[in-house]
Amino acid sequence: DSGVTQTPKHLITATGQRVTLRCSPRSGDLSVYWYQQSLDQGLQFLIQYYNGEERAKGNILERFSAQQFPDLHSELNLSSLELGDSALYFCASSVAGGGGRYGYTFGSGTRLTVV
Amino acid sequence: DQQVKQNSPSLSVQEGRISILNCDYTNSMFDYFLWYKKYPAEGPTFLISISSIKDKNEDGRFTVFLNKSAKHLSLHIVPSQPGDSAVYFCAASDEGGSEKLVFGKGMKLTVNP
């Protein structure tokens, strides 16, 4: 158990629908990162939150949004889903400013299948 | 634009031999480099890192080498064990800018008994 909890582990939904992925960071970590891993692709950075505020944005589609709550858990909302959104979505957390020096701690991911 | 590249998708080695995983990068602003290991149905786990001011970092069977002039790093695993079979990701960060990690596409290592 890495200490980063992601729910649900698996999600199957239809095109056009909206889903919410949830992440609880490791105790004490203030930063939460969301990554997408599609088939044959590496981990693509989507967005980072630090202590409730958006810190950095990557290649995140406008149909996707995220937030971090006062208790530091984060949610990634995916709407108007398309077949191409099928992927593994990982959440990771880190101590403040420690992304590079100490690495992130990843959750086990949510596998989203859009049918 | 892929800033971190792992050009070989897979590697197969015999147990006890050396495994060498390579990674190239293009962004000269990167100042930390990391390797992650990923087993199926699990998230990536941090393995080892190196600062750009160093050229080598060792942790047990794992050694990472950094060649800044060539923008190249490698992970050496000696001796390789069957339990090392996994997908390995190279990652880099620019701590002075965004803290986010930029990952390569990964390489699947298979260690045969």
Side-chain angles (χ1 to χ4, degrees):
Chain A
D1 182 6
S2 68
V4 178
T5 304
Q6 287 188 249
T7 57
K9 290 192 181 304
H10 302 277
L11 198 50
I12 302 175
T13 190
T15 54
Q17 295 298 305
R18 172 189 168 96
V19 297
T20 296
L21 313 184
R22 182 187 167 102
C23 170
S24 293
R26 194 177 55 167
S27 178
D29 286 353
L30 299 178
S31 276
V32 170
Y33 309 80
W34 286 97
Y35 280 80
Q36 179 193 56
Q37 185 184 18
S38 303
L39 192 65
D40 294 333
Q41 294 295 315
L43 293 153
Q44 301 293 318
F45 171 70
L46 295 178
I47 198 164
Q48 176 200 0
Y49 278 83
Y50 172 75
N51 203 20
E53 294 194 2
E54 182 182 306
R55 183 90 159 222
K57 221 168 186 177
N59 299 321
I60 187 167
L61 300 172
E62 286 192 11
R63 299 183 286 108
F64 296 0
S65 65
Q67 54 184 327
Q68 186 179 28
F69 295 86
D71 66 352
L72 300 178
H73 92 271
S74 177
E75 293 181 355
L76 179 66
N77 301 296
L78 316 175
S79 62
S80 303
L81 284 168
E82 302 174 359
L83 296 178
D85 297 327
S86 296
L88 267 170
Y89 291 85
F90 287 103
C91 168
S93 69
S94 75
V95 300
R101 291 180 182 85
Y102 312 114
Y104 302 163
T105 300
F106 279 85
S108 57
T110 293
R111 180 173 291 281
L112 173 67
T113 303
V114 183
V115 296
Chain B
D1 177 28
Q2 199 176 354
Q3 298 185 69
V4 178
K5 301 177 185 179
Q6 294 178 260
N7 293 318
S8 300
S10 64
L11 174 68
S12 181
V13 300
Q14 285 300 120
E15 180 179 5
R17 305 295 291 270
I18 184 171
S19 294
I20 299 176
L21 290 73
N22 294 306
C23 178
D24 297 299
Y25 63 96
T26 58
N27 188 344
S28 58
M29 298 302 293
F30 287 145
D31 47 12
Y32 279 90
F33 303 89
L34 303 88
W35 286 93
Y36 277 79
K37 179 169 71 173
K38 184 183 180 304
Y39 293 119
E42 294 182 12
T45 55
F46 172 71
L47 195 56
I48 191 169
S49 66
I50 187 168
S51 163
S52 61
I53 63 173
K54 297 187 175 182
D55 55 19
K56 177 182 175 181
N57 188 27
E58 193 172 350
D59 183 2
R61 296 185 299 113
F62 303 91
T63 303
V64 57
F65 295 91
L66 175 63
N67 182 334
K68 283 187 66 178
S69 61
K71 293 191 174 69
H72 176 83
L73 64 153
S74 61
L75 174 68
H76 292 209
I77 306 174
V78 184
S80 301
Q81 300 173 354
D84 296 329
S85 297
V87 175
Y88 289 78
F89 290 96
C90 172
S93 77
D94 165 18
E95 291 294 287
S98 167
E99 295 162 2
K100 73 176 191 292
L101 289 178
V102 179
F103 285 84
K105 290 189 176 183
M107 168 193 263
K108 183 175 182 180
L109 173 66
T110 303
V111 180
N112 301 302

